Each structure stands twice: as structure tokens, then as C-alpha cells.
Amino acid sequence: MSITTQEIILVCEALPREKQVEVADFARFLLAQLSDEAWEKRIAGQKPRPRLDAFLRESASESDEPMDPGRL
């Protein structure tokens, strides 16, 4: 376990329960941001994506009517 992880644990243990939950929520937020940044980088890349392009063409050609649950 890293020193930073140990320090975070000690800080959390010193906080009241509701503040511990806030720290955990903030850590999850930071983790989600990393995931978002990775997707943004992947999407912005110049690599060809033929399957995605085909899906987008098919989706654009479909009607704009709402889905009919009876047809699913």
C-alpha cells in the first residue's frame, strides 16, 4: 500500500462518517473524470472506425419515430 493511500485512510478515519462519504464521492468523481478523458482522447483520434461509421450511417437513415414496444 502506498504512503498516499495510507494517508488518505488516516484522514478518512479522523473524519465523521458523513465527511468520509463525501471524500469517497469526490474520489469516484475524479475516477470518472479520468475515464471521460480517456474516451475523449480515443474518440478524437484519427484512427479509422468502419464499424462505427456504418452504424452511424444506418442510424441516420432510420426514421425519427419513437420505438414501438409492440415491435420489439
Side-chain angles (χ1 to χ4, degrees):
M1 184 180 322
S2 72
I3 293 173
T4 304
T5 303
Q6 292 172 355
E7 185 177 0
I8 291 170
I9 290 170
L10 291 173
V11 168
C12 282
E13 287 175 344
L15 293 171
R17 176 73 182 136
E18 63 275 0
K19 295 296 181 184
Q20 290 177 6
V21 171
E22 288 181 30
V23 169
D25 286 344
F26 183 65
R28 287 186 202 97
F29 167 76
L30 292 176
L31 191 58
Q33 273 189 324
L34 290 176
S35 178
D36 290 347
E37 290 171 9
W39 273 110
E40 290 296 328
K41 184 178 178 183
R42 209 173 282 154
I43 290 170
Q46 298 300 316
K47 178 180 174 184
R49 294 178 179 81
R51 291 189 325 189
L52 176 59
D53 293 338
F55 171 77
L56 293 174
R57 277 192 305 278
E58 288 175 29
S59 297
S61 68
E62 293 177 0
S63 67
D64 290 337
E65 67 184 49
M67 287 185 13
D68 179 8
R71 290 177 39 197
L72 295 179

